Structures are given as structure tokens and as C-alpha cells.
Amino acid sequence: MFGSIFSFFVLRQSVKYRYTARFFIMSIGCQWLLGAGLPGTVSAQSSSPSPLYRPLTGQLEIGGFGSSTGEVPFWMQTNQYGIVPSQAPTVWMRGATAIGYRSDSTQKRPKIDWGAGLEVVGQAGASQAVILSEGYVKARLGWLEIFGGRRKQVLGFAQSPLSSGSFIWSRNALPMPRIQIGTIDYVPIGFTRKFVALKAFFAHGWFGDQTYVQGSYLHQKALSLRLGKPASRFHLYGSFSHEVQWAGYAFFAKADPTLSFNGQYADSPEAYYNVVVPVNKEALKDLSKFTTNDQNRVGDHRGAAEIALSVDLNQWTLSTYQQHAYDLGRKLYNGRNIEDGLYGLRLQSKRPNRFIEDMVVELFNSQSQGYVQFGKLLGGEPENYLVNGQYPDGWSYQGRTIGIPFITQTADTNPTLGAQTFSRNTADGKPVGGLFGINNNRVLAFNWGVSGSIRTFQRAGSSRWQPAYWRYQLRASYSQNHGVYSIYSTVGPFPDGINQFSAMGSLSRPTRWLGGSSIVIKAGYDQGKLLRYPSQTGFYLGIRKDWLKSLPTRQTKYSQENKHLPEHL
């Protein structure tokens, strides 16, 4: 500032004495000496990198669940990553913390960095458990990331918390221990001038010990494509995922050499290769490494093909998406189950604190399964979504469906509806059997949800008031449930009229308690013939404290990325 004032004075004198060039040079010299910098340049001090900060977040929540029947209502416990108890009354405490990647004030990030997260849940009462729901370490190298442990993730284009969840991989089950390598976000392809971008990952996980199979593994990979530059108004997305449960020891298969090697499913390096690349059927004919049952493919395969469109409406983003799942690979390309899938529409606000910030409408259908198409009987083998004879627990983890929760667990449905049973013989000839974990995969369901903010005021001092917002969420679903196709079930499909309505509402509001916290209130309601009780209500009351700190760190080289580009879906 002093340099600019002095320059103005000198220039004024240059006009008076007509020595313009000499005094102009003097003015520049004075500015430089006084630290104002040369005209049209940035001083050395301002060109240095901004300080880097590492975000540290924390959350502590304490509350209690109640229910009219002892069962927590459907939408209060589903799609919660397996941490909400199914039984009530139960009190819980949930503590979480996470260390994120460093960035500066312009969101530039170092090429190499690390982070971690931890969440522990304790339950007491009708449900008693201590759950490690998250515990992971992550590291990045530019746009590439690797992590290990339990980590909450949203896969596919059904990104909203109001969504019923992706067909194959939803928020419903506890995160599985995994090692994953992949891109952090969409990576633009250079020669396309950022019009084409790719996102991908490759993962290995552990199912652990289930009811009927112990020590099986997860293989998972996905590739997504985005068309449209980051700042474009329109974006078109496509994605393909592949999930496999493979290996493990099954006591019920010990006496069946066509199914296992003395109870052990194929787990050799050759078996893993055929899990990852399930196309070389010639290699599967080696009966010293593979069983007769492996001749088609090793393990239980499934996945989804998805497409989505996102439109920027200035203050809003409108998205539509469709997920088409497969359990038998040939149904993916012959189109016999083309009518099955999840169809969604989402409207999301770009501005916070609006009455409507997020709204979702979805239709889910899994009735066709390639056996019936648009009302016409095709015959053949139905897909039998998320159910497999080698792994009777089904596509489940810790007693919850990994995929969309409309495909329900036998233990959660009305006992009078029956279940699929299986029977084998042990090595000494004794019969052994049990129930398949999933008994309802033919579903037609409608899901709706909306969330936003209601503006109120709270006292900020003796005579001052400040805005405060009630955060609300409303959701409801209606489903028609038909069980499974009779060729798989000993009790046949469900009778007609097994319909289910479920709804939930929640409110949270900031308070001055504990130096700033939030009161959380939830209520749920179920009515129908699918669940264990024909009618039930439930509630939750809790208090939550959130922390966010930015920890200063030392300087390092920046990534070539200007910032971490957010996803549109």
C-alpha cells in the first residue's frame, strides 16, 4: 500500500516536471523496495504454496430404540451398514473418527498421502453386541488409492441415502474386510480433452465363517465410464460390476465329490484365475483341480450393468439411473430378464438448508428372472437372484442381504410363509440340511424419499437469535412379494397378497448442549404380511456430537490435480 501511494506521488511529479520515463522507473523501484512487487507480477511470498491441512472428524452418538413388537421397523434398521439392532428395546453408543487426505484452501492435494477411519458400536438390551463397523487405512498416489479393512462404501449410481440401495451391493450389510485398489474418482482420458473419464477398482474380501460355509472369499471389480467434461451440463454414465463368492469349507458337501474336495471348494491359484476371468472353461475339465460342479464356473457369480444420466439445472441436479442385475451370465446378453432391475429418479439441491434438498423415486422389479418375460412363460432356469446351492446363506453377510433389502432374509419374514430347504449327507452317511438364508427374491417394489431443512431460530445470547435448522427425512415403500420360483422351493412360491408397506421419518436439530450437539428423533411403521408381525411401530431418541478439525501439516509437492472433482451421481 505504501509503495502504491509513493508511486502515485512520483508519477504526479513526473507530469509536473515532464520527466515521465525517469520518474516512472523511480516509482517501480520504490514499489519493489517497499515490497509491493513489480507491476503485473506476483510477489515471491504470495506464490508460495498455501498451508496444508489434514481434516480430522469425529462423531459420538448415544440413544435408545423402542418397538411395539420387539422388532425394529424395516427402514429404521435396513441400509444402515448392519449397525442398527433388529431387536428392541436396545440402547447403543456409536463412536467414529476419520483422518482424511490433506489439502490447501484451493483444494489442491499432495500426490502421496494417507488416511484412516474407525467406528465402533456397542449395543445393550434386547440386542447385545460390540461391532467394529469401520476400521481401515488408506493411501493415495495421485489418482490411485489402495485401502485395507472394513470401510463403508456406496457402489453404483443409486447414491442417495434415500435410495433403496443397489441391486447387488447396497448399504444394508456390515462392511466386509477387504483390500481394494482403484481410482479415487473419475480420471479424465487426456486425448479426449476430459470428455471421457474412467473409474475402476479391483478388490479381494473375506466372508469369514457363515452358518453353512466357513472361510469363503469375495472377488469384486467394477469399471465405470463418464461422458461429458467435468463442467458440462449433461453427463452420461455407464458401469459394469462383477462379484463372486468362492472357496471355503462346506461340511454338508464333504461326502459329495462332485461338489467339493472332502468339503473344500476349489481355492487354488488356477481357481482364482478362473474366478477373475471366468471364460476359460477348458481348464476347468482338470478334475484333479476342479469338481464336476466347477465345470461351468468356479464360485457363485453375479453383477450388474448400469446406465445413468445427470443434468445440471443450475441450482439443482436431476439424475436418472437403471441397474440391470445378473446371476446367470448368459441372461445378461440374451435379454431374457431385461424387465428386471432398479429404475430411479433423483432431484438434488446444490444449495444447503433448503426445504427440499434431496428427493428420490424408485421402482424395483425382480419378478421375471428370465423365466417369465412381460407375462409370457419362457421356461428354462430362472436367475434365482442372490441364492446359490453351494452357499446356502445366500448373498448375505452377518445375517443381512448384501444387495437391495427388498430381497429378504428367511429369518426376517413371517414364519408361516415357509422357506427353501436343502438336504445333504455327511461323510458317514448321516443326513444334514437346513434353510436357505433368502426366501423372497421375486419382488415388485416402489420406494420414495425426501429430505431437507426446516428453518427455525435459537437463542445465541441474552438478546440475540440465530438461524437453526431441523433436518428431516421421510421415506416410504410398498412391495408385492412372491417368494421364489417353485422349481427351487419345497414349499412353492408365496401365496397371493403378500404385500408390505413400510415408512420412516426422522428429525435432528442442533442444540447448545455439550458445546454444540444434535438431538435425533426417528419413528418407523410397518404394515403387511411379509414381515414377522403384521403391524408394528418403533422409535429412536438420541443425542449426537460431531467434531471437525483441520490439522496443519508441513509442505509437500502438490498433485497435478487442481482438486478432487465431486461425482454428479
Side-chain angles (χ1 to χ4, degrees):
M1 182 179 70
F2 292 108
S4 299
I5 295 172
F6 195 87
S7 174
F8 175 78
F9 171 77
V10 173
L11 284 172
R12 185 177 178 184
Q13 296 303 312
S14 72
V15 174
K16 180 177 179 181
Y17 295 103
R18 300 181 181 179
Y19 295 122
T20 304
R22 183 185 301 174
F23 280 91
F24 182 68
I25 294 171
M26 290 174 59
S27 71
I28 293 175
C30 291
Q31 289 189 69
W32 179 75
L33 288 171
L34 293 173
L38 295 175
T41 67
V42 180
S43 66
Q45 182 178 357
S46 63
S47 64
S48 61
S50 301
L52 289 174
Y53 293 91
R54 186 183 298 279
L56 173 64
T57 61
Q59 190 175 86
L60 180 64
E61 184 173 0
I62 301 173
F65 296 85
S67 172
S68 61
T69 62
E71 296 275 346
V72 177
F74 183 79
W75 282 121
M76 288 182 65
Q77 62 165 295
T78 55
N79 280 348
Q80 301 295 322
Y81 291 105
I83 64 174
V84 172
S86 59
Q87 305 293 316
T90 298
V91 295
W92 81 338
M93 177 182 291
R94 180 176 65 90
T97 185
I99 301 173
Y101 293 132
R102 294 169 293 169
S103 65
D104 67 6
S105 59
T106 65
Q107 293 300 302
K108 289 183 178 179
R109 300 182 184 275
K111 284 185 177 181
I112 302 175
D113 207 353
W114 66 276
L118 179 68
E119 182 181 73
V120 179
V121 178
Q123 302 172 356
S127 293
Q128 300 187 22
V130 176
I131 304 170
L132 177 65
S133 48
E134 270 199 306
Y136 66 89
V137 176
K138 62 181 182 179
R140 65 171 290 169
L141 176 61
W143 45 262
L144 194 65
E145 179 184 69
I146 185 170
F147 77 82
R150 294 188 191 271
R151 186 182 183 185
K152 296 178 181 178
Q153 288 183 293
V154 180
L155 304 181
F157 299 140
Q159 294 277 316
S160 173
L162 301 168
S163 171
S164 53
S166 295
F167 199 141
I168 300 298
W169 194 276
S170 71
R171 299 177 175 90
N172 194 46
L174 187 71
M176 198 179 302
R178 297 147 48 90
I179 295 176
Q180 176 175 306
I181 184 170
T183 62
I184 297 176
D185 207 333
Y186 285 92
V187 179
I189 306 301
F191 66 87
T192 68
R193 297 184 178 182
K194 298 185 178 181
F195 182 80
V196 179
L198 297 176
K199 182 180 181 181
F201 72 85
F202 187 96
H204 176 80
W206 291 263
F207 275 87
D209 293 343
Q210 297 182 290
T211 306
Y212 301 109
V213 179
Q214 288 74 49
S216 61
Y217 301 134
L218 167 75
H219 166 69
Q220 187 178 36
K221 56 182 176 288
L223 175 65
S224 301
L225 169 73
R226 185 189 70 197
L227 299 180
K229 294 184 178 181
S232 298
R233 185 176 292 271
F234 295 91
H235 291 93
L236 182 64
Y237 297 82
S239 179
F240 183 84
S241 68
H242 179 216
E243 286 85 10
V244 186
Q245 184 176 6
W246 66 288
Y249 175 79
F251 67 91
F252 62 85
K254 191 173 182 179
D256 188 349
T258 67
L259 193 63
S260 72
F261 294 99
N262 199 31
Q264 181 67 47
Y265 293 146
D267 61 356
S268 64
E270 293 87 350
Y272 180 61
Y273 175 78
N274 280 276
V275 165
V276 177
V277 188
V279 293
N280 186 10
K281 293 188 177 182
E282 190 66 29
L284 300 178
K285 295 180 180 180
D286 184 352
L287 295 182
S288 66
K289 297 178 179 179
F290 302 100
T291 66
T292 305
N293 189 72
D294 294 330
Q295 298 306 294
N296 181 33
R297 55 189 174 178
V298 177
D300 178 21
H301 295 241
R302 57 183 46 87
E306 307 179 50
I307 189 170
L309 175 67
S310 171
V311 183
D312 186 341
L313 302 177
N314 297 325
Q315 296 186 16
W316 300 85
T317 300
L318 179 65
S319 307
T320 180
Y321 49 90
Q322 193 269 341
Q323 297 179 347
H324 181 73
Y326 66 90
D327 245 285
L328 301 174
R330 60 181 178 272
K331 300 290 177 68
L332 183 64
Y333 57 80
N334 65 23
R336 287 172 62 113
N337 67 334
I338 190 65
E339 63 187 286
D340 287 346
L342 176 68
Y343 303 82
L345 186 67
R346 180 185 187 187
L347 183 64
Q348 186 178 17
S349 173
K350 293 183 179 181
R351 289 171 46 193
N353 301 327
R354 276 187 164 181
F355 182 69
I356 294 179
E357 298 173 6
D358 195 4
M359 185 163 59
V360 167
V361 178
E362 291 179 330
L363 176 69
F364 174 70
N365 183 32
S366 62
Q367 298 178 105
S368 166
Q369 301 192 16
Y371 189 71
V372 175
Q373 188 179 69
F374 301 110
K376 179 182 178 181
L377 179 65
L378 300 180
E381 183 182 5
E383 289 269 1
N384 205 21
Y385 297 126
L386 312 192
V387 178
N388 181 268
Q390 282 185 285
Y391 302 92
D393 290 283
W395 189 237
S396 309
Y397 184 66
Q398 301 290 319
R400 293 188 183 269
T401 304
I402 298 173
I404 193 166
F406 288 132
I407 296 180
T408 51
Q409 296 281 305
T410 302
D412 296 332
T413 56
N414 189 330
T416 62
L417 296 175
Q420 298 183 78
T421 62
F422 73 93
S423 60
R424 306 281 190 202
N425 291 318
T426 62
D428 55 2
K430 295 181 180 179
V432 60
L435 302 178
F436 282 94
I438 291 173
N439 70 337
N440 177 41
N441 61 12
R442 295 174 57 213
V443 182
L444 178 65
F446 173 80
N447 176 58
W448 170 85
V450 62
S451 64
S453 303
I454 302 173
R455 184 174 182 178
T456 60
F457 292 88
Q458 68 178 11
R459 187 180 294 276
S462 57
S463 60
R464 188 168 61 91
W465 294 77
Q466 66 182 14
Y469 293 90
W470 282 94
R471 309 291 182 185
Y472 78 90
Q473 183 185 110
L474 297 173
R475 67 181 308 159
S477 65
Y478 175 80
S479 64
Q480 298 175 352
N481 304 274
H482 304 283
V484 297
Y485 277 106
S486 58
I487 65 171
Y488 289 120
S489 177
T490 56
V491 296
F494 290 169
D496 293 337
I498 306 301
N499 305 326
Q500 184 68 43
F501 173 80
S502 296
M504 188 198 76
S506 69
L507 285 171
S508 65
R509 186 182 189 277
T511 72
R512 291 184 293 169
W513 299 347
L514 305 175
S517 57
S518 297
I519 298 173
V520 182
I521 304 170
K522 297 181 181 181
Y525 176 72
D526 294 327
Q527 176 73 45
K529 298 181 179 180
L530 175 67
L531 302 180
R532 185 175 295 274
Y533 296 97
S535 178
Q536 61 185 7
T537 57
F539 66 88
Y540 171 79
L541 178 62
I543 185 168
R544 184 182 67 236
K545 172 71 175 178
D546 296 277
W547 293 270
L548 173 60
K549 290 186 176 182
S550 295
L551 306 178
T553 63
R554 62 184 180 179
Q555 301 293 340
T556 185
K557 290 185 178 180
Y558 285 115
S559 169
Q560 296 299 317
E561 306 167 75
N562 287 329
K563 61 181 179 179
H564 178 63
L565 297 173
E567 291 183 351
H568 290 268
L569 290 174

